[in-house]
PDB file of all heavy atoms in Angstrom:
ATOM      1  N   PHE B 899     -17.339 -24.990  15.800  1.00  0.00           N
ATOM      2  CA  PHE B 899     -18.328 -25.965  16.157  1.00  0.00           C
ATOM      3  C   PHE B 899     -19.720 -25.191  16.293  1.00  0.00           C
ATOM      4  O   PHE B 899     -19.766 -24.007  16.267  1.00  0.00           O
ATOM      5  CB  PHE B 899     -17.951 -26.504  17.631  1.00  0.00           C
ATOM      6  CG  PHE B 899     -17.764 -25.384  18.511  1.00  0.00           C
ATOM      7  CD1 PHE B 899     -18.806 -24.729  19.223  1.00  0.00           C
ATOM      8  CD2 PHE B 899     -16.469 -24.878  18.742  1.00  0.00           C
ATOM      9  CE1 PHE B 899     -18.526 -23.714  20.122  1.00  0.00           C
ATOM     10  CE2 PHE B 899     -16.162 -23.795  19.591  1.00  0.00           C
ATOM     11  CZ  PHE B 899     -17.145 -23.251  20.276  1.00  0.00           C
ATOM     12  N   ILE B 916     -41.765  -7.548  10.899  1.00  0.00           N
ATOM     13  CA  ILE B 916     -40.647  -8.130  11.564  1.00  0.00           C
ATOM     14  C   ILE B 916     -39.976  -7.164  12.525  1.00  0.00           C
ATOM     15  O   ILE B 916     -39.566  -7.536  13.600  1.00  0.00           O
ATOM     16  CB  ILE B 916     -39.539  -8.693  10.518  1.00  0.00           C
ATOM     17  CG1 ILE B 916     -40.085  -9.813   9.733  1.00  0.00           C
ATOM     18  CG2 ILE B 916     -38.222  -9.121  11.184  1.00  0.00           C
ATOM     19  CD1 ILE B 916     -40.220 -11.139  10.364  1.00  0.00           C
ATOM     20  N   GLU B 989     -16.491 -22.808  27.078  1.00  0.00           N
ATOM     21  CA  GLU B 989     -15.316 -23.671  27.341  1.00  0.00           C
ATOM     22  C   GLU B 989     -14.593 -23.853  26.061  1.00  0.00           C
ATOM     23  O   GLU B 989     -13.373 -23.659  25.905  1.00  0.00           O
ATOM     24  CB  GLU B 989     -15.685 -24.971  28.020  1.00  0.00           C
ATOM     25  CG  GLU B 989     -15.552 -24.863  29.553  1.00  0.00           C
ATOM     26  CD  GLU B 989     -16.239 -26.139  30.019  1.00  0.00           C
ATOM     27  OE1 GLU B 989     -16.029 -27.274  29.611  1.00  0.00           O
ATOM     28  OE2 GLU B 989     -17.158 -25.939  30.934  1.00  0.00           O
ATOM     29  N   LYS B 990     -15.409 -24.165  24.946  1.00  0.00           N
ATOM     30  CA  LYS B 990     -14.683 -24.513  23.722  1.00  0.00           C
ATOM     31  C   LYS B 990     -14.105 -23.182  23.136  1.00  0.00           C
ATOM     32  O   LYS B 990     -13.045 -23.395  22.421  1.00  0.00           O
ATOM     33  CB  LYS B 990     -15.829 -24.966  22.746  1.00  0.00           C
ATOM     34  CG  LYS B 990     -16.130 -26.360  22.963  1.00  0.00           C
ATOM     35  CD  LYS B 990     -16.949 -26.902  21.725  1.00  0.00           C
ATOM     36  CE  LYS B 990     -17.834 -28.069  22.101  1.00  0.00           C
ATOM     37  NZ  LYS B 990     -18.936 -28.169  21.095  1.00  0.00           N
ATOM     38  N   ILE B1028     -19.646   3.349  36.349  1.00  0.00           N
ATOM     39  CA  ILE B1028     -19.536   2.930  34.926  1.00  0.00           C
ATOM     40  C   ILE B1028     -20.632   2.040  34.538  1.00  0.00           C
ATOM     41  O   ILE B1028     -21.034   1.152  35.347  1.00  0.00           O
ATOM     42  CB  ILE B1028     -18.083   2.171  34.800  1.00  0.00           C
ATOM     43  CG1 ILE B1028     -17.022   3.126  34.974  1.00  0.00           C
ATOM     44  CG2 ILE B1028     -18.099   1.437  33.425  1.00  0.00           C
ATOM     45  CD1 ILE B1028     -15.664   2.465  35.130  1.00  0.00           C
ATOM     46  N   GLU B1035     -30.372  -4.035  27.587  1.00  0.00           N
ATOM     47  CA  GLU B1035     -30.514  -3.582  28.949  1.00  0.00           C
ATOM     48  C   GLU B1035     -30.328  -2.065  29.097  1.00  0.00           C
ATOM     49  O   GLU B1035     -31.112  -1.378  29.828  1.00  0.00           O
ATOM     50  CB  GLU B1035     -29.421  -4.232  29.827  1.00  0.00           C
ATOM     51  CG  GLU B1035     -29.827  -4.226  31.208  1.00  0.00           C
ATOM     52  CD  GLU B1035     -28.595  -4.594  32.151  1.00  0.00           C
ATOM     53  OE1 GLU B1035     -27.511  -4.308  31.791  1.00  0.00           O
ATOM     54  OE2 GLU B1035     -28.894  -4.859  33.379  1.00  0.00           O
ATOM     55  N   TYR B1047     -27.370   9.513  22.458  1.00  0.00           N
ATOM     56  CA  TYR B1047     -26.293   9.088  21.602  1.00  0.00           C
ATOM     57  C   TYR B1047     -26.415   8.208  20.427  1.00  0.00           C
ATOM     58  O   TYR B1047     -25.614   8.173  19.569  1.00  0.00           O
ATOM     59  CB  TYR B1047     -25.034   8.598  22.552  1.00  0.00           C
ATOM     60  CG  TYR B1047     -24.585   9.692  23.472  1.00  0.00           C
ATOM     61  CD1 TYR B1047     -24.801   9.647  24.857  1.00  0.00           C
ATOM     62  CD2 TYR B1047     -23.762  10.760  22.927  1.00  0.00           C
ATOM     63  CE1 TYR B1047     -24.225  10.675  25.632  1.00  0.00           C
ATOM     64  CE2 TYR B1047     -23.235  11.699  23.674  1.00  0.00           C
ATOM     65  CZ  TYR B1047     -23.539  11.734  25.053  1.00  0.00           C
ATOM     66  OH  TYR B1047     -22.996  12.750  25.884  1.00  0.00           O
ATOM     67  N   LEU B1085     -12.578  -3.756  29.200  1.00  0.00           N
ATOM     68  CA  LEU B1085     -13.884  -4.225  29.037  1.00  0.00           C
ATOM     69  C   LEU B1085     -13.875  -5.058  27.710  1.00  0.00           C
ATOM     70  O   LEU B1085     -13.200  -4.612  26.762  1.00  0.00           O
ATOM     71  CB  LEU B1085     -14.962  -3.040  28.849  1.00  0.00           C
ATOM     72  CG  LEU B1085     -14.938  -2.116  30.071  1.00  0.00           C
ATOM     73  CD1 LEU B1085     -16.076  -1.136  29.889  1.00  0.00           C
ATOM     74  CD2 LEU B1085     -15.211  -2.870  31.398  1.00  0.00           C
ATOM     75  N   ALA B1093     -25.972 -19.482  14.555  1.00  0.00           N
ATOM     76  CA  ALA B1093     -27.088 -20.033  13.858  1.00  0.00           C
ATOM     77  C   ALA B1093     -26.820 -20.159  12.383  1.00  0.00           C
ATOM     78  O   ALA B1093     -26.055 -19.405  11.770  1.00  0.00           O
ATOM     79  CB  ALA B1093     -28.286 -19.169  13.997  1.00  0.00           C
ATOM     80  N   ILE B1104     -20.376   3.399  22.807  1.00  0.00           N
ATOM     81  CA  ILE B1104     -19.496   3.706  23.920  1.00  0.00           C
ATOM     82  C   ILE B1104     -19.401   5.196  24.057  1.00  0.00           C
ATOM     83  O   ILE B1104     -19.130   5.920  23.148  1.00  0.00           O
ATOM     84  CB  ILE B1104     -18.046   3.185  23.627  1.00  0.00           C
ATOM     85  CG1 ILE B1104     -18.164   1.691  23.397  1.00  0.00           C
ATOM     86  CG2 ILE B1104     -17.125   3.565  24.755  1.00  0.00           C
ATOM     87  CD1 ILE B1104     -16.744   1.031  23.042  1.00  0.00           C
ATOM     88  N   VAL B1148     -10.132  -8.194  17.603  1.00  0.00           N
ATOM     89  CA  VAL B1148      -9.476  -9.297  16.995  1.00  0.00           C
ATOM     90  C   VAL B1148     -10.612  -9.987  16.208  1.00  0.00           C
ATOM     91  O   VAL B1148     -11.501 -10.650  16.797  1.00  0.00           O
ATOM     92  CB  VAL B1148      -8.800 -10.218  17.926  1.00  0.00           C
ATOM     93  CG1 VAL B1148      -8.299 -11.409  17.189  1.00  0.00           C
ATOM     94  CG2 VAL B1148      -7.556  -9.512  18.638  1.00  0.00           C
ATOM     95  N   GLY B1154     -14.349 -19.154   5.603  1.00  0.00           N
ATOM     96  CA  GLY B1154     -14.599 -19.958   4.562  1.00  0.00           C
ATOM     97  C   GLY B1154     -13.590 -21.069   4.414  1.00  0.00           C
ATOM     98  O   GLY B1154     -12.578 -20.955   5.091  1.00  0.00           O
ATOM     99  N   LYS B1173     -15.542  14.410  20.186  1.00  0.00           N
ATOM    100  CA  LYS B1173     -16.408  15.683  20.163  1.00  0.00           C
ATOM    101  C   LYS B1173     -15.824  16.862  20.942  1.00  0.00           C
ATOM    102  O   LYS B1173     -15.961  17.968  20.570  1.00  0.00           O
ATOM    103  CB  LYS B1173     -17.740  15.237  20.903  1.00  0.00           C
ATOM    104  CG  LYS B1173     -18.885  15.966  20.618  1.00  0.00           C
ATOM    105  CD  LYS B1173     -20.227  15.374  21.177  1.00  0.00           C
ATOM    106  CE  LYS B1173     -21.257  16.427  21.065  1.00  0.00           C
ATOM    107  NZ  LYS B1173     -22.588  15.934  20.655  1.00  0.00           N
ATOM    108  N   SER B1177      -9.758  15.346  23.087  1.00  0.00           N
ATOM    109  CA  SER B1177     -10.278  13.927  23.164  1.00  0.00           C
ATOM    110  C   SER B1177      -9.408  13.039  22.197  1.00  0.00           C
ATOM    111  O   SER B1177      -8.731  13.516  21.361  1.00  0.00           O
ATOM    112  CB  SER B1177     -11.736  13.825  22.842  1.00  0.00           C
ATOM    113  OG  SER B1177     -11.994  14.426  21.595  1.00  0.00           O
ATOM    114  N   TYR B1251      -6.226  -1.741   1.192  1.00  0.00           N
ATOM    115  CA  TYR B1251      -6.291  -0.686   2.190  1.00  0.00           C
ATOM    116  C   TYR B1251      -7.036   0.484   1.430  1.00  0.00           C
ATOM    117  O   TYR B1251      -6.685   0.837   0.327  1.00  0.00           O
ATOM    118  CB  TYR B1251      -4.952  -0.174   2.725  1.00  0.00           C
ATOM    119  CG  TYR B1251      -5.117   1.139   3.457  1.00  0.00           C
ATOM    120  CD1 TYR B1251      -5.406   1.186   4.791  1.00  0.00           C
ATOM    121  CD2 TYR B1251      -4.915   2.398   2.642  1.00  0.00           C
ATOM    122  CE1 TYR B1251      -5.602   2.355   5.412  1.00  0.00           C
ATOM    123  CE2 TYR B1251      -5.100   3.556   3.412  1.00  0.00           C
ATOM    124  CZ  TYR B1251      -5.412   3.523   4.718  1.00  0.00           C
ATOM    125  OH  TYR B1251      -5.582   4.684   5.386  1.00  0.00           O
ATOM    126  N   GLN B1288      -7.496  14.718   0.963  1.00  0.00           N
ATOM    127  CA  GLN B1288      -8.067  15.936   0.610  1.00  0.00           C
ATOM    128  C   GLN B1288      -7.679  17.054   1.744  1.00  0.00           C
ATOM    129  O   GLN B1288      -7.971  16.833   2.881  1.00  0.00           O
ATOM    130  CB  GLN B1288      -9.566  15.989   0.383  1.00  0.00           C
ATOM    131  CG  GLN B1288     -10.194  17.300   0.196  1.00  0.00           C
ATOM    132  CD  GLN B1288     -11.522  17.233  -0.426  1.00  0.00           C
ATOM    133  OE1 GLN B1288     -11.825  16.293  -1.057  1.00  0.00           O
ATOM    134  NE2 GLN B1288     -12.349  18.269  -0.261  1.00  0.00           N
ATOM    135  N   SER B1322       7.025 -21.814  10.324  1.00  0.00           N
ATOM    136  CA  SER B1322       7.255 -21.027  11.613  1.00  0.00           C
ATOM    137  C   SER B1322       7.949 -19.717  11.319  1.00  0.00           C
ATOM    138  O   SER B1322       7.752 -18.672  11.817  1.00  0.00           O
ATOM    139  CB  SER B1322       8.022 -21.763  12.589  1.00  0.00           C
ATOM    140  OG  SER B1322       7.590 -23.033  12.821  1.00  0.00           O
ATOM    141  N   ALA B1323       8.929 -19.827  10.321  1.00  0.00           N
ATOM    142  CA  ALA B1323       9.742 -18.765   9.961  1.00  0.00           C
ATOM    143  C   ALA B1323       8.817 -17.638   9.297  1.00  0.00           C
ATOM    144  O   ALA B1323       9.000 -16.478   9.709  1.00  0.00           O
ATOM    145  CB  ALA B1323      10.834 -19.142   8.916  1.00  0.00           C
TER     146      ALA B1323
END
Side-chain angles (χ1 to χ4, degrees):
Chain B
F899 55 85
I916 292 286
E989 270 166 50
K990 283 191 205 161
I1028 293 172
E1035 201 198 16
Y1047 291 110
L1085 302 183
I1104 300 174
V1148 174
K1173 202 172 169 138
S1177 56
Y1251 166 83
Q1288 173 160 338
S1322 316

